[in-house]
């Protein structure tokens, strides 16, 4: 098991988030969650908003990612996300707040509400809350 | 003599107040530089990775089709020149503007200038170059939103066929003491990324959802990021240049003050000596009588 490791790098425009070894990851790809294991074929995919799970030696870590894309080649994973936060960095209270706000906005549809934007921010908030593991 | 010492004292005071201003500007620039530098350095890995990914993609044996890649013959060669809004930054503005002008001149009438920053706008306007677009008041910390807005404008010009090429001209931040003027080709993309032919074997990528879908997402992002990076680099360079320029201005002021102090003391000394010798002379004259 130990030798079957991939390296994963997560970078956003604002910062370099994380470089780590992993045995496998699950990412929110464009068409649903997608798993990447050792010796995965070269792949480029667009990412959605959601939770990225990566495991190392049986331990599963989570982080919230939003937008961007991922490249996999020769057991190297590069994730270029618009935003990415590790589980322990997430401000749950803030995420809860923005979730409530997004829901409110969606409820009062009809008035000049940008539905796509409200949906997107709702998705982001949900991903953050879930990734933090404190639901 | 009294006239002379007063004159020198006045000059010392004037230089001192100038020095206060330059040293304050130096400190302000230093603080801004630190923030700007942080942003540049944190944004670099993302840009580098994006380059890496794109390069490998273009090297793979997939056929790509996207308006951003296609080379067109129509339209002008656009130069986006990023300069500062204010002066007092040493050679910062002059260097980049001369550099840009050389590039623009090499295309004769076929170049179009998009000026960012007041200094660049004034420079080209004064020399009679037509400006396609101008943006001033970029602010000290450019935001990603600004970059995206600019990217939209530029890609629009590119799509319309007004421009067949978009180049970014800016000062790349090396150290606070050093900025290098650079020109990078933003659009069309293939030419700029594909320049280095790799010997590595071609990789066949799987694209989710499709090559076109991925490119639709990736290329605009590349344009945004490239502009964002350029804005950040330019701003960090500007603050660096201003800090250095104001630092040496402060030092020069110090030197002038020292020199003036010396001549002030000398003039004062001479005045005292003359006065004493006058008194002595007068006393002796009295004694003699």
């Amino acid at each position: 098991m130990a030798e079957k490791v991939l390296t994963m790098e997560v970078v956003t425009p604002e910062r370099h988030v994380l470089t780590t070894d992993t045995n496998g990851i699950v990412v929110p790809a464009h068409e649903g969650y997608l798993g990447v294991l050792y010796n995965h074929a070269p792949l480029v995919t667009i990412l959605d908003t959601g939770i990225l799970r990566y495991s190392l030696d049986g331990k599963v870590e989570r982080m919230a990612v939003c937008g961007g894309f991922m490249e996999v080649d020769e057991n190297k994973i590069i994730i270029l996300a618009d935003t990415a936060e590790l589980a322990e960095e997430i401000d749950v209270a803030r995420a809860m707040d923005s979730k409530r706000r997004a829901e409110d906005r969606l409820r009062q549809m009809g008035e000049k509400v940008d539905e796509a934007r409200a949906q997107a921010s709702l998705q982001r908030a949900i991903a953050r809350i879930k990734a933090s593991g404190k639901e | 003599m009294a006239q002379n010492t007063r004159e020198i004292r006045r000059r010392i005071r004037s230089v001192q107040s100038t020095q206060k201003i330059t040293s304050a500007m130096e400190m302000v620039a230093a603080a801004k530089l630190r923030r700007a530098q942080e942003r540049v350095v944190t944004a670099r890995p993302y840009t580098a990775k994006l380059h890496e990914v794109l390069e490998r993609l273009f090297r793979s044996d997939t056929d790509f089709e996207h308006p951003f890649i296609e080379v067109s013959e129509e339209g002008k060669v656009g130069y986006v020149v990023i300069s500062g809004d204010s002066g007092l930054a040493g050679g910062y503005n002059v260097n980049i503007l001369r550099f840009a002008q050389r590039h623009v001149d090499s295309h004769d009438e076929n170049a179009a200038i998009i000026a960012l920053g007041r200094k660049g706008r004034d420079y080209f306007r004064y020399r009679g170059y037509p400006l396609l677009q101008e943006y001033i008041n970029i602010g000290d910390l450019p935001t990603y939103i600004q970059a995206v807005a600019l990217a939209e404008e530029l890609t629009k010009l590119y799509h319309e066929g007004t421009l067949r090429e978009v180049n970014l001209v800016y000062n790349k931040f090396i150290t606070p003491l050093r900025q290098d003027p650079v020109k990078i080709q933003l659009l069309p993309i293939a030419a700029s990324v594909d320049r280095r032919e790799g010997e590595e074997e071609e990789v066949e990528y799987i694209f989710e959802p499709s090559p076109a879908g991925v490119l639709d997402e990736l290329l605009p992002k590349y344009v945004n990021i490239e502009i964002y990076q350029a804005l950040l680099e330019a701003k960090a360079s500007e603050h660096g240049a201003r800090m250095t320029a104001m630092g040496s201005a402060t030092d020069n002021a110090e030197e002038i003050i020292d020199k003036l102090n010396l001549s002030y003391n000398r003039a004062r000394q001479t005045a005292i000596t003359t006065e004493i010798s006058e008194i002595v002379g007068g006393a002796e004259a009295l004694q003699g009588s």
Side-chain angles (χ1 to χ4, degrees):
Chain A
M1 191 68 181
E3 66 274 16
K4 292 199 172 177
V5 272
L6 307 94
T7 54
M8 175 177 79
E9 239 179 291
V10 183
V11 193
T12 71
E14 262 120 56
R15 68 205 178 103
H16 181 270
V17 184
L18 172 79
T19 305
T20 180
D21 285 340
T22 174
N23 300 118
I25 67 166
V26 177
V27 289
H30 187 67
E31 276 150 23
Y33 277 84
L34 179 131
V36 178
L37 292 171
Y38 189 72
N39 269 342
H40 195 286
L43 165 80
V44 177
T45 179
I46 302 171
L47 296 183
D48 244 348
T49 303
I51 305 144
L52 185 153
R53 290 188 186 79
Y54 57 100
S55 64
L56 185 62
D57 300 329
K59 232 180 112 214
V60 179
E61 304 280 353
R62 292 191 281 194
M63 65 195 295
V65 294
C66 161
F69 48 93
M70 170 179 81
E71 189 209 9
V72 184
D73 187 25
E74 288 172 9
N75 294 316
K76 234 184 114 199
I77 304 171
I78 297 176
I79 293 173
L80 297 168
D82 291 348
T83 67
E85 288 134 296
L86 303 173
E88 60 266 24
E89 295 171 348
I90 294 168
D91 185 341
V92 184
R94 227 187 99 193
M96 290 282 196
D97 261 4
S98 65
K99 184 183 170 207
R100 221 167 297 128
R101 242 177 300 132
E103 281 168 345
D104 282 350
R105 241 179 296 154
L106 283 173
R107 229 174 281 126
Q108 17 165 300
M109 286 306 302
E111 290 163 55
K112 276 190 198 159
V113 178
D114 188 342
E115 191 184 352
R117 249 186 74 193
Q119 277 290 0
S121 90
L122 179 62
Q123 291 306 322
R124 273 200 303 277
I126 291 173
R128 283 204 183 103
I129 294 165
K130 280 192 178 158
S132 71
K134 294 170 205 150
E135 277 170 70
Chain B
M1 258 320 153
Q3 199 61 45
N4 196 10
T5 51
R6 198 180 303 150
E7 183 73 8
I8 294 173
R9 255 207 323 262
R10 235 189 58 212
R11 282 200 58 201
I12 290 175
R13 267 205 301 276
S14 138
V15 176
Q16 267 168 345
S17 60
T18 309
Q19 190 193 25
K20 265 182 212 148
I21 295 170
T22 57
S23 84
M25 281 183 77
E26 183 192 359
M27 279 187 285
V28 170
K32 283 179 179 168
L33 169 70
R34 206 170 315 121
R35 292 225 300 274
Q37 194 175 354
E38 237 165 62
R39 304 252 305 256
V40 171
V41 174
T42 47
R44 269 181 191 163
Y46 188 92
T47 317
K49 286 287 161 204
L50 190 55
H51 272 243
E52 233 177 78
V53 171
L54 269 183
E55 222 165 280
R56 273 202 296 272
L57 276 187
F58 284 126
R59 218 182 285 140
S60 73
D61 58 355
T62 321
D63 282 328
F64 292 108
E65 262 180 47
H66 194 276
F68 283 3
I69 309 175
E70 278 156 33
V71 180
S72 133
E73 295 296 317
E74 237 175 88
K76 297 186 167 186
V77 179
Y79 284 96
V80 181
V81 183
I82 308 178
S83 65
D85 274 324
S86 53
L88 291 182
Y92 172 79
N93 287 311
V94 179
N95 281 348
I96 192 66
L97 293 171
R98 286 223 186 99
F99 178 80
Q101 194 180 9
R102 267 203 304 281
H103 277 288
V104 169
D105 286 344
S106 68
H107 288 285
D108 296 323
E109 297 294 295
N110 276 323
I113 302 169
I114 294 148
L116 265 72
R118 186 173 287 120
K119 286 288 161 185
R121 181 195 66 177
D122 295 348
Y123 181 93
F124 285 112
R125 195 187 266 170
Y126 180 72
R127 283 164 182 74
Y129 288 86
L131 294 175
L132 189 60
Q133 278 184 356
E134 51 182 66
Y135 300 89
I136 55 169
N137 294 330
I138 310 287
D140 279 325
L141 289 170
T143 61
Y144 188 62
I145 311 291
Q146 280 177 313
V148 173
L150 180 61
E152 259 166 35
E153 280 298 317
L154 293 175
T155 48
K156 207 178 101 207
L157 290 170
Y158 184 73
H159 280 307
E160 289 169 355
T162 316
L163 298 176
R164 73 176 134 97
E165 213 181 285
V166 180
N167 296 289
L168 295 176
V169 184
Y170 61 93
N171 275 310
K172 191 174 170 61
F173 180 81
I174 313 287
T175 68
L177 296 176
R178 195 172 146 218
Q179 307 87 34
D180 287 352
V182 291
K183 184 211 85 150
I184 58 162
Q185 185 178 322
L186 184 66
L187 290 170
I189 290 172
S192 59
V193 179
D194 212 6
R195 205 175 297 138
R196 277 167 290 166
E197 282 293 320
E199 314 85 55
E200 289 170 47
E201 55 188 298
E202 291 181 345
V203 192
E204 254 184 83
Y205 280 98
I206 304 169
F207 290 97
E208 286 275 342
S210 64
V214 169
L215 280 197
D216 274 346
E217 178 83 7
L218 219 145
L219 297 185
K221 198 151 275 172
Y222 168 84
V223 173
N224 292 346
I225 272 294
E226 204 68 12
I227 294 175
Y228 181 57
Q229 184 77 32
L231 288 177
L232 289 182
E233 299 268 355
K235 268 300 162 197
S237 302
E238 185 186 339
H239 293 316
R242 179 161 299 127
M243 188 184 82
T244 342
M246 288 302 114
S248 60
T250 308
D251 291 347
N252 290 344
E254 193 63 56
E255 225 170 86
I256 294 175
I257 290 172
D258 281 351
K259 267 189 207 148
L260 285 175
N261 260 331
L262 196 66
S263 38
Y264 170 73
N265 286 336
R266 209 172 271 151
R268 193 175 56 109
Q269 196 65 59
T270 326
I272 292 168
T273 314
T274 338
E275 212 170 295
I276 289 176
S277 64
E278 268 165 14
I279 293 169
V280 171
E284 251 163 31
L286 278 178
Q287 243 168 27
S289 63

